[in-house]
Coordinates of all heavy atoms in Angstrom, one line a residue:
M1 N -23.5 143.8 38.5 CA -24.0 142.9 37.5 C -23.6 141.5 37.9 O -22.5 141.2 38.3 CB -23.3 143.2 36.2 CG -23.8 142.4 35.1 SD -23.4 143.0 33.4 CE -21.6 143.2 33.4
E2 N -24.6 140.6 37.8 CA -24.4 139.3 38.2 C -23.6 138.5 37.1 O -23.9 138.7 35.9 CB -25.8 138.6 38.4 CG -25.7 137.2 39.0 CD -27.1 136.6 39.1 OE1 -28.1 137.4 39.2 OE2 -27.2 135.4 39.1
E3 N -22.7 137.7 37.6 CA -21.8 137.0 36.7 C -22.5 135.6 36.4 O -22.9 134.9 37.3 CB -20.5 136.9 37.3 CG -19.4 136.4 36.3 CD -18.0 136.4 36.9 OE1 -17.8 137.2 37.8 OE2 -17.2 135.7 36.4
R4 N -22.6 135.3 35.1 CA -23.1 134.0 34.8 C -22.1 132.9 35.1 O -21.0 133.0 34.7 CB -23.4 134.0 33.3 CG -24.3 132.8 32.9 CD -24.8 133.0 31.5 NE -24.2 132.1 30.6 CZ -24.3 132.2 29.3 NH1 -25.0 133.2 28.8 NH2 -23.7 131.4 28.5
V5 N -22.5 132.0 35.9 CA -21.6 131.0 36.4 C -21.3 130.0 35.3 O -22.2 129.6 34.6 CB -22.2 130.3 37.6 CG1 -21.3 129.1 38.1 CG2 -22.5 131.2 38.8
G6 N -20.0 129.8 35.1 CA -19.6 128.7 34.2 C -19.4 129.2 32.7 O -19.0 128.4 31.9
F7 N -19.6 130.5 32.4 CA -19.4 130.8 31.0 C -17.9 130.8 30.7 O -17.1 131.4 31.5 CB -19.9 132.2 30.7 CG -19.6 132.7 29.3 CD1 -20.2 132.2 28.2 CD2 -18.5 133.5 29.1 CE1 -19.9 132.6 27.0 CE2 -18.1 133.9 27.9 CZ -18.8 133.5 26.8
R8 N -17.5 130.2 29.7 CA -16.1 130.2 29.2 C -16.1 130.3 27.7 O -16.9 129.7 27.0 CB -15.4 128.9 29.6 CG -15.1 128.8 31.1 CD -14.2 127.6 31.3 NE -12.8 127.9 30.9 CZ -11.9 128.4 31.7 NH1 -12.2 128.7 33.0 NH2 -10.7 128.6 31.3
M9 N -15.2 131.2 27.2 CA -15.0 131.3 25.8 C -13.8 130.3 25.5 O -12.9 130.3 26.2 CB -14.7 132.7 25.4 CG -14.4 132.9 23.9 SD -13.9 134.6 23.6 CE -15.4 135.4 23.6
E10 N -14.0 129.6 24.4 CA -12.9 128.7 24.0 C -12.3 129.2 22.7 O -13.0 129.4 21.7 CB -13.4 127.3 23.8 CG -12.4 126.3 23.7 CD -12.9 124.9 23.8 OE1 -13.2 124.5 24.9 OE2 -13.0 124.2 22.7
I11 N -11.0 129.5 22.7 CA -10.2 129.9 21.6 C -9.2 128.8 21.2 O -8.3 128.5 22.0 CB -9.5 131.3 21.8 CG1 -10.6 132.3 22.2 CG2 -8.8 131.7 20.6 CD1 -9.9 133.7 22.6
T12 N -9.4 128.3 20.0 CA -8.5 127.2 19.5 C -7.6 127.8 18.4 O -8.1 128.3 17.4 CB -9.3 126.0 19.1 OG1 -10.2 125.6 20.1 CG2 -8.4 124.9 18.7
I13 N -6.3 127.6 18.6 CA -5.4 128.2 17.6 C -4.7 127.0 16.9 O -4.2 126.0 17.5 CB -4.2 129.0 18.3 CG1 -4.9 130.1 19.1 CG2 -3.2 129.5 17.3 CD1 -5.0 129.9 20.6
C14 N -4.7 127.0 15.6 CA -4.1 126.0 14.8 C -2.6 126.0 14.9 O -2.0 127.1 14.7 CB -4.5 126.1 13.3 SG -3.8 124.8 12.3
I15 N -2.0 124.9 15.2 CA -0.6 124.8 15.3 C 0.0 123.8 14.2 O 1.1 123.3 14.3 CB -0.1 124.4 16.7 CG1 -0.7 123.1 17.1 CG2 -0.3 125.5 17.7 CD1 -0.1 122.4 18.3
G16 N -0.9 123.6 13.2 CA -0.4 122.8 12.0 C 0.7 123.5 11.3 O 1.0 124.6 11.6
S17 N 1.4 122.7 10.4 CA 2.7 123.3 9.8 C 2.4 124.6 9.0 O 3.2 125.5 9.1 CB 3.3 122.2 9.0 OG 2.4 121.7 8.1
S18 N 1.3 124.6 8.3 CA 1.1 125.8 7.5 C 0.8 127.0 8.4 O 1.4 128.1 8.2 CB -0.1 125.6 6.6 OG -0.4 126.7 5.8
C19 N 0.0 126.9 9.4 CA -0.3 128.0 10.4 C 1.0 128.3 11.2 O 1.2 129.4 11.6 CB -1.5 127.6 11.2 SG -3.0 127.7 10.3
H20 N 1.8 127.3 11.5 CA 3.0 127.5 12.2 C 3.9 128.5 11.4 O 4.4 129.4 12.0 CB 3.8 126.2 12.4 CG 5.1 126.4 13.1 ND1 5.1 126.6 14.5 CD2 6.3 126.4 12.6 CE1 6.4 126.7 14.8 NE2 7.2 126.6 13.7
L21 N 4.0 128.3 10.1 CA 4.8 129.2 9.3 C 4.2 130.6 9.2 O 4.9 131.6 9.0 CB 4.9 128.6 7.9 CG 5.7 127.3 7.7 CD1 5.6 126.8 6.3 CD2 7.1 127.6 8.2
K22 N 2.9 130.7 9.5 CA 2.3 132.1 9.4 C 2.3 132.7 10.8 O 1.8 133.8 11.0 CB 0.8 132.0 9.0 CG 0.7 131.6 7.5 CD -0.7 131.3 7.2 CE -0.8 130.4 5.9 NZ -2.0 129.6 5.9
G23 N 2.9 132.0 11.8 CA 3.1 132.7 13.1 C 2.2 132.2 14.2 O 1.9 133.0 15.2
S24 N 1.7 131.0 14.2 CA 0.8 130.5 15.2 C 1.4 130.6 16.6 O 0.7 130.9 17.6 CB 0.3 129.1 14.9 OG 1.3 128.2 14.9
Q25 N 2.7 130.3 16.8 CA 3.3 130.4 18.1 C 3.2 131.9 18.6 O 3.0 132.1 19.8 CB 4.7 129.9 18.1 CG 4.9 128.4 17.7 CD 4.1 127.5 18.7 OE1 4.0 127.8 19.9 NE2 3.4 126.5 18.2
D26 N 3.4 132.8 17.7 CA 3.3 134.2 18.1 C 1.9 134.6 18.5 O 1.7 135.3 19.5 CB 3.8 135.2 17.0 CG 5.3 135.0 16.8 OD1 6.0 134.7 17.8 OD2 5.8 135.3 15.7
V27 N 0.9 134.1 17.7 CA -0.5 134.4 18.0 C -0.8 133.8 19.4 O -1.4 134.5 20.2 CB -1.4 133.7 17.0 CG1 -2.9 133.8 17.4 CG2 -1.2 134.5 15.6
I28 N -0.3 132.6 19.7 CA -0.6 132.0 21.0 C 0.1 132.8 22.1 O -0.6 133.1 23.1 CB -0.1 130.6 21.0 CG1 -0.9 129.7 20.2 CG2 0.0 130.0 22.5 CD1 -0.4 128.3 19.9
R29 N 1.3 133.2 21.9 CA 2.0 134.0 22.9 C 1.3 135.3 23.2 O 1.1 135.8 24.4 CB 3.4 134.3 22.5 CG 4.5 133.5 23.1 CD 5.9 134.0 22.9 NE 6.2 134.0 21.5 CZ 6.7 133.0 20.9 NH1 6.9 131.8 21.5 NH2 7.1 133.0 19.6
I30 N 0.8 136.0 22.2 CA 0.1 137.3 22.3 C -1.2 137.0 23.1 O -1.6 137.8 24.0 CB -0.1 137.9 20.9 CG1 1.2 138.4 20.3 CG2 -1.1 139.1 21.0 CD1 1.2 138.7 18.8
L31 N -2.0 136.0 22.7 CA -3.2 135.7 23.3 C -3.0 135.4 24.8 O -3.7 135.8 25.7 CB -4.0 134.6 22.6 CG -4.6 135.0 21.3 CD1 -5.1 133.7 20.6 CD2 -5.6 136.0 21.4
E32 N -2.0 134.6 25.1 CA -1.7 134.2 26.5 C -1.4 135.5 27.3 O -1.9 135.6 28.4 CB -0.5 133.3 26.6 CG -0.9 131.9 26.2 CD 0.3 130.9 26.2 OE1 1.5 131.4 26.1 OE2 0.1 129.7 26.2
R33 N -0.6 136.4 26.7 CA -0.3 137.6 27.4 C -1.5 138.5 27.7 O -1.7 139.0 28.8 CB 0.8 138.4 26.6 CG 1.1 139.8 27.2 CD 2.2 140.5 26.4 NE 1.9 140.7 25.0 CZ 1.1 141.6 24.5 NH1 0.5 142.5 25.3 NH2 0.9 141.8 23.2
L34 N -2.4 138.6 26.7 CA -3.6 139.4 26.9 C -4.6 138.8 27.9 O -5.1 139.5 28.7 CB -4.3 139.6 25.5 CG -3.5 140.5 24.5 CD1 -4.0 140.3 23.1 CD2 -3.5 141.9 25.0
V35 N -4.7 137.5 27.8 CA -5.6 136.8 28.8 C -5.1 137.1 30.2 O -5.8 137.4 31.1 CB -5.7 135.3 28.5 CG1 -6.3 134.6 29.7 CG2 -6.5 135.0 27.2
S36 N -3.8 137.0 30.4 CA -3.2 137.3 31.7 C -3.3 138.7 32.1 O -3.7 139.1 33.2 CB -1.7 136.8 31.7 OG -1.1 137.3 32.8
H37 N -3.1 139.6 31.1 CA -3.1 141.1 31.4 C -4.5 141.5 31.8 O -4.7 142.3 32.8 CB -2.8 141.8 30.1 CG -2.9 143.3 30.2 ND1 -1.9 144.1 30.9 CD2 -3.9 144.2 29.8 CE1 -2.3 145.3 30.8 NE2 -3.5 145.4 30.2
Y38 N -5.6 140.9 31.2 CA -6.9 141.3 31.6 C -7.5 140.3 32.6 O -8.7 140.4 32.9 CB -7.8 141.3 30.3 CG -7.5 142.4 29.4 CD1 -6.7 142.3 28.3 CD2 -8.1 143.7 29.6 CE1 -6.5 143.3 27.4 CE2 -7.8 144.8 28.8 CZ -7.0 144.6 27.7 OH -6.8 145.6 26.9
H39 N -6.7 139.5 33.2 CA -7.2 138.5 34.3 C -8.4 137.7 33.8 O -9.4 137.6 34.5 CB -7.5 139.3 35.6 CG -6.3 140.2 36.0 ND1 -5.2 139.7 36.5 CD2 -6.2 141.5 36.0 CE1 -4.3 140.7 36.8 NE2 -4.9 141.8 36.5
L40 N -8.3 137.2 32.6 CA -9.4 136.4 32.1 C -9.2 134.9 32.1 O -9.9 134.2 31.3 CB -9.7 136.9 30.6 CG -10.2 138.4 30.6 CD1 -10.2 138.8 29.1 CD2 -11.6 138.5 31.2
E41 N -8.3 134.5 32.9 CA -8.0 133.0 32.9 C -9.2 132.2 33.2 O -9.3 131.0 32.8 CB -6.9 132.7 34.0 CG -5.5 133.3 33.6 CD -5.3 134.7 34.1 OE1 -6.3 135.4 34.5 OE2 -4.2 135.2 34.1
N42 N -10.2 132.7 34.0 CA -11.4 132.0 34.3 C -12.5 132.1 33.3 O -13.5 131.4 33.3 CB -12.0 132.5 35.7 CG -11.1 132.2 36.8 OD1 -10.3 131.2 36.8 ND2 -11.1 133.0 37.8
K43 N -12.3 132.9 32.3 CA -13.3 133.2 31.2 C -12.9 132.6 29.9 O -13.8 132.5 29.0 CB -13.5 134.7 31.1 CG -14.0 135.3 32.4 CD -15.4 135.8 32.1 CE -16.0 136.5 33.4 NZ -17.4 136.4 33.4
I44 N -11.6 132.5 29.6 CA -11.1 132.1 28.3 C -10.2 130.8 28.4 O -9.3 130.8 29.2 CB -10.3 133.2 27.6 CG1 -11.3 134.4 27.4 CG2 -9.7 132.8 26.3 CD1 -10.5 135.6 26.8
T45 N -10.5 129.9 27.6 CA -9.7 128.7 27.5 C -8.9 128.8 26.2 O -9.6 128.9 25.1 CB -10.5 127.4 27.5 OG1 -11.2 127.4 28.8 CG2 -9.6 126.2 27.4
L46 N -7.6 128.7 26.2 CA -6.8 128.7 25.0 C -6.4 127.3 24.7 O -5.9 126.6 25.6 CB -5.6 129.6 25.1 CG -5.8 131.1 25.3 CD1 -4.5 131.8 25.5 CD2 -6.6 131.7 24.1
K47 N -6.6 126.9 23.5 CA -6.2 125.5 23.1 C -5.4 125.5 21.8 O -5.6 126.4 21.0 CB -7.4 124.6 22.9 CG -8.2 124.3 24.1 CD -9.5 123.6 23.6 CE -9.9 122.6 24.6 NZ -11.1 121.8 24.1
G48 N -4.6 124.5 21.6 CA -3.9 124.3 20.3 C -4.6 123.2 19.5 O -5.2 122.3 20.1
S49 N -4.5 123.2 18.2 CA -5.1 122.1 17.4 C -4.2 121.8 16.2 O -3.5 122.7 15.7 CB -6.5 122.6 16.9 OG -6.9 121.7 15.9
F50 N -4.2 120.6 15.8 CA -3.5 120.3 14.6 C -4.4 120.9 13.4 O -5.4 121.5 13.7 CB -3.4 118.8 14.4 CG -2.4 118.2 15.4 CD1 -2.8 117.3 16.4 CD2 -1.1 118.7 15.4 CE1 -1.9 116.9 17.4 CE2 -0.2 118.2 16.4 CZ -0.6 117.3 17.3
C51 N -3.9 120.7 12.2 CA -4.5 121.3 11.0 C -6.0 121.3 11.1 O -6.7 120.3 11.3 CB -4.1 120.6 9.8 SG -4.8 121.4 8.3
M52 N -6.6 122.5 11.0 CA -8.1 122.7 11.0 C -8.7 122.7 9.6 O -9.8 123.1 9.5 CB -8.4 123.9 11.8 CG -8.0 123.8 13.3 SD -7.8 125.3 14.2 CE -9.4 125.9 14.4
G53 N -7.9 122.4 8.6 CA -8.4 122.2 7.3 C -8.6 123.5 6.5 O -9.3 123.5 5.5
E54 N -8.0 124.6 6.9 CA -8.1 125.8 6.2 C -6.7 126.4 6.0 O -6.6 127.6 6.2 CB -9.0 126.8 7.0 CG -10.4 126.2 7.1 CD -11.4 127.2 7.6 OE1 -11.3 128.4 7.3 OE2 -12.4 126.8 8.3
C55 N -5.8 125.6 5.6 CA -4.4 126.1 5.5 C -4.2 127.0 4.3 O -3.1 127.6 4.2 CB -3.4 125.0 5.5 SG -4.0 123.4 5.6
T56 N -5.1 127.1 3.4 CA -4.8 127.9 2.2 C -5.1 129.4 2.4 O -4.7 130.2 1.6 CB -5.8 127.5 1.0 OG1 -7.1 127.5 1.5 CG2 -5.5 126.1 0.6
S57 N -5.7 129.7 3.5 CA -6.0 131.1 3.7 C -4.9 131.9 4.3 O -3.8 131.4 4.6 CB -7.2 131.1 4.7 OG -6.7 130.6 5.9
D58 N -5.1 133.2 4.3 CA -4.1 134.1 4.8 C -4.2 134.1 6.3 O -5.3 134.4 6.9 CB -4.3 135.6 4.3 CG -4.3 135.6 2.8 OD1 -3.6 134.8 2.2 OD2 -5.1 136.4 2.3
G59 N -3.2 133.9 7.0 CA -3.2 134.0 8.5 C -3.4 132.6 9.1 O -3.7 131.6 8.5
V60 N -3.2 132.7 10.4 CA -3.4 131.5 11.3 C -4.9 131.2 11.5 O -5.6 132.1 11.8 CB -2.7 131.7 12.6 CG1 -2.9 130.5 13.6 CG2 -1.2 132.0 12.4
C61 N -5.3 130.0 11.4 CA -6.7 129.6 11.6 C -7.0 129.6 13.1 O -6.3 128.9 13.8 CB -6.9 128.3 10.9 SG -8.7 127.8 10.9
V62 N -8.0 130.3 13.5 CA -8.3 130.4 14.9 C -9.8 130.2 15.0 O -10.6 130.8 14.2 CB -7.9 131.8 15.5 CG1 -8.4 131.9 16.9 CG2 -6.4 132.0 15.4
D63 N -10.3 129.4 16.0 CA -11.7 129.1 16.2 C -12.1 129.8 17.5 O -11.5 129.5 18.5 CB -11.9 127.6 16.2 CG -13.3 127.2 16.4 OD1 -13.9 127.5 17.4 OD2 -13.9 126.6 15.4
V64 N -13.1 130.6 17.4 CA -13.6 131.3 18.7 C -15.0 130.8 18.9 O -15.9 131.3 18.2 CB -13.5 132.8 18.5 CG1 -14.0 133.5 19.8 CG2 -12.1 133.3 18.1
D65 N -15.2 129.9 19.8 CA -16.5 129.4 20.1 C -17.2 128.9 18.8 O -18.4 129.3 18.6 CB -17.4 130.4 20.8 CG -17.0 130.4 22.3 OD1 -16.4 129.5 22.8 OD2 -17.5 131.3 23.0
G66 N -16.5 128.3 17.9 CA -17.1 127.7 16.7 C -17.1 128.6 15.5 O -17.4 128.2 14.4
E67 N -16.6 129.8 15.7 CA -16.5 130.8 14.5 C -15.0 130.8 14.1 O -14.1 131.2 14.9 CB -17.0 132.1 14.9 CG -17.0 133.1 13.8 CD -17.4 134.5 14.3 OE1 -18.2 134.6 15.2 OE2 -16.9 135.5 13.7
R68 N -14.8 130.6 12.8 CA -13.4 130.6 12.3 C -13.0 132.0 11.9 O -13.7 132.7 11.2 CB -13.3 129.7 11.1 CG -13.5 128.2 11.4 CD -12.2 127.6 12.0 NE -12.4 126.3 12.5 CZ -12.3 125.2 11.8 NH1 -11.9 125.3 10.5 NH2 -12.5 124.0 12.3
V69 N -11.8 132.4 12.3 CA -11.2 133.6 11.9 C -9.7 133.3 11.5 O -9.2 132.3 11.8 CB -11.2 134.7 13.0 CG1 -12.6 135.1 13.4 CG2 -10.5 134.2 14.2
K70 N -9.2 134.3 10.7 CA -7.8 134.1 10.3 C -7.0 135.3 10.9 O -7.4 136.4 10.8 CB -7.6 134.2 8.8 CG -8.5 133.3 8.0 CD -8.2 131.8 8.3 CE -9.2 130.9 7.7 NZ -10.6 131.0 8.0
L71 N -5.9 135.0 11.6 CA -5.2 136.0 12.3 C -3.7 136.0 12.0 O -3.1 134.9 12.0 CB -5.3 135.8 13.8 CG -6.6 136.2 14.5 CD1 -6.4 136.0 16.0 CD2 -6.9 137.7 14.2
L72 N -3.1 137.1 11.7 CA -1.7 137.3 11.7 C -1.3 137.8 13.1 O -2.1 138.4 13.8 CB -1.3 138.3 10.6 CG -1.5 137.8 9.2 CD1 -1.2 139.0 8.2 CD2 -0.6 136.6 8.9
P73 N 0.0 137.5 13.5 CA 0.4 138.0 14.8 C 0.1 139.5 14.9 O -0.3 140.0 16.0 CB 1.9 137.6 14.8 CG 2.0 136.4 14.0 CD 1.0 136.6 12.8
S74 N 0.4 140.2 13.9 CA 0.2 141.7 13.9 C -1.2 142.1 14.1 O -1.5 143.3 14.5 CB 0.8 142.4 12.7 OG 0.1 141.8 11.5
E75 N -2.2 141.2 13.9 CA -3.6 141.6 14.0 C -4.2 141.1 15.3 O -5.4 141.4 15.6 CB -4.4 140.9 12.8 CG -4.0 141.3 11.5 CD -4.5 140.4 10.4 OE1 -4.9 139.2 10.7 OE2 -4.6 140.8 9.2
T76 N -3.4 140.3 16.0 CA -4.0 139.5 17.2 C -4.5 140.4 18.3 O -5.5 140.2 18.8 CB -3.0 138.5 17.7 OG1 -2.6 137.7 16.6 CG2 -3.5 137.7 18.8
E77 N -3.7 141.4 18.7 CA -4.1 142.3 19.8 C -5.3 143.1 19.4 O -6.3 143.2 20.3 CB -2.9 143.2 20.2 CG -3.3 144.0 21.4 CD -2.1 144.5 22.2 OE1 -0.9 144.2 21.8 OE2 -2.3 145.3 23.2
A78 N -5.4 143.6 18.2 CA -6.6 144.3 17.8 C -7.8 143.4 17.8 O -8.9 143.8 18.3 CB -6.4 145.0 16.5
F79 N -7.7 142.2 17.3 CA -8.7 141.2 17.3 C -9.2 141.0 18.8 O -10.4 140.9 19.0 CB -8.3 139.9 16.7 CG -9.3 138.8 16.9 CD1 -10.4 138.7 16.1 CD2 -9.1 137.9 17.9 CE1 -11.3 137.7 16.3 CE2 -10.0 136.8 18.1 CZ -11.1 136.8 17.3
F80 N -8.3 140.8 19.7 CA -8.6 140.5 21.0 C -9.4 141.6 21.7 O -10.5 141.4 22.3 CB -7.4 140.2 21.9 CG -7.6 139.7 23.2 CD1 -7.7 138.3 23.4 CD2 -7.7 140.6 24.3 CE1 -8.0 137.8 24.7 CE2 -8.0 140.1 25.6 CZ -8.1 138.7 25.8
T81 N -9.0 142.9 21.5 CA -9.7 144.0 22.1 C -11.0 144.3 21.4 O -12.0 144.6 22.1 CB -8.8 145.2 22.2 OG1 -8.2 145.4 20.9 CG2 -7.7 145.1 23.2
N82 N -11.0 144.1 20.1 CA -12.2 144.5 19.4 C -13.3 143.4 19.3 O -14.5 143.7 19.2 CB -11.9 144.9 17.9 CG -11.1 146.2 17.9 OD1 -11.2 147.0 18.7 ND2 -10.3 146.3 16.8
Q83 N -12.9 142.2 19.4 CA -13.8 141.1 19.3 C -14.0 140.3 20.6 O -15.1 140.2 21.1 CB -13.3 140.1 18.2 CG -13.2 140.7 16.8 CD -14.5 141.0 16.2 OE1 -15.5 140.3 16.3 NE2 -14.6 142.1 15.5
V84 N -12.9 139.8 21.1 CA -13.0 138.9 22.3 C -13.5 139.7 23.5 O -14.4 139.3 24.2 CB -11.6 138.3 22.6 CG1 -11.7 137.5 23.9 CG2 -11.2 137.4 21.4
L85 N -12.9 140.8 23.8 CA -13.3 141.6 25.0 C -14.8 142.1 24.8 O -15.5 142.0 25.8 CB -12.4 142.8 25.2 CG -11.0 142.5 25.7 CD1 -10.2 143.8 25.9 CD2 -11.0 141.6 26.9
K86 N -15.1 142.5 23.6 CA -16.5 142.9 23.4 C -17.5 141.8 23.6 O -18.6 142.0 24.2 CB -16.7 143.4 22.0 CG -15.9 144.7 21.7 CD -16.9 145.9 21.4 CE -16.3 147.2 21.6 NZ -15.0 147.4 21.0
R87 N -17.2 140.6 23.1 CA -18.1 139.5 23.3 C -18.2 139.1 24.8 O -19.3 138.8 25.3 CB -17.5 138.2 22.6 CG -17.7 138.3 21.1 CD -17.4 137.0 20.5 NE -17.0 137.2 19.1 CZ -16.8 136.2 18.3 NH1 -17.0 135.0 18.6 NH2 -16.4 136.5 17.0
L88 N -17.1 139.2 25.5 CA -17.1 138.9 27.0 C -18.0 140.0 27.7 O -18.7 139.6 28.6 CB -15.7 138.8 27.5 CG -14.9 137.6 27.2 CD1 -13.5 137.7 27.7 CD2 -15.6 136.3 27.7
E89 N -17.9 141.2 27.3 CA -18.6 142.3 27.9 C -20.1 142.0 27.7 O -20.9 142.4 28.5 CB -18.3 143.6 27.3 CG -17.0 144.2 27.8 CD -16.6 145.4 27.0 OE1 -17.4 145.9 26.2 OE2 -15.4 145.9 27.1
G90 N -20.5 141.4 26.6 CA -21.9 141.1 26.3 C -22.5 140.0 27.1 O -23.7 139.8 27.1
Q91 N -21.6 139.3 27.8 CA -22.2 138.2 28.7 C -22.8 138.7 29.9 O -22.2 139.6 30.5 CB -21.0 137.2 29.0 CG -20.5 136.5 27.8 CD -21.5 135.7 27.1 OE1 -22.4 135.1 27.7 NE2 -21.5 135.8 25.8
P92 N -23.9 138.2 30.3 CA -24.5 138.7 31.6 C -23.7 138.3 32.8 O -22.9 137.4 32.7 CB -25.9 137.9 31.6 CG -25.8 136.8 30.7 CD -24.7 137.2 29.7
Ligands
FES1 S1 -2.2 124.1 9.2 FE1 -3.6 125.4 10.1 S2 -5.5 125.1 9.0 FE2 -4.1 123.6 8.2

């Protein structure tokens, strides 16, 4: 299968104070570990952001290529394998 040159998924994790209290540092640590485990450093960019304006919700605010999701640390690995890896598999 030919790899599309230049495709990168961007995942932005909120590190604002409300999300920090919900475990944003753990979410980041888990995502970093998974990106490394699956050797996806060239496919995924992880970024931090100040408050993304959705602090009232349950979980840490995470933006995946423009789509907002809420993640608790305990949900992060399942989200990565069920959503992120599937989306990457769908790329030509
Ligand atoms: S602190 Fe994360 S959305 Fe506000």
Side-chain angles (χ1 to χ4, degrees):
M1 183 162 57
E2 190 180 332
E3 192 172 335
R4 193 164 107 194
V5 177
F7 174 79
R8 285 189 77 91
M9 179 185 283
E10 192 168 284
I11 302 178
T12 305
I13 302 99
C14 180
I15 54 169
S17 53
S18 177
C19 289
H20 178 78
L21 292 174
K22 293 173 200 148
S24 59
Q25 295 303 319
D26 291 332
V27 170
I28 290 169
R29 258 194 297 276
I30 292 164
L31 289 174
E32 284 177 339
R33 176 175 56 78
L34 291 166
V35 166
S36 171
H37 176 78
Y38 288 100
H39 307 291
L40 293 171
E41 293 88 347
N42 294 330
K43 298 246 178 205
I44 297 176
T45 301
L46 296 177
K47 290 174 148 185
S49 168
F50 292 116
C51 179
M52 293 160 72
E54 298 189 33
C55 359
T56 54
S57 60
D58 305 326
V60 176
C61 188
V62 176
D63 182 295
V64 183
D65 279 346
E67 183 185 329
R68 294 279 172 92
V69 295
K70 309 297 177 298
L71 282 182
L72 292 172
S74 59
E75 302 165 336
T76 302
E77 185 155 356
F79 169 80
F80 189 88
T81 48
N82 294 332
Q83 301 287 325
V84 174
L85 289 182
K86 291 246 161 49
R87 285 189 208 192
L88 288 175
E89 282 171 11
Q91 293 304 316

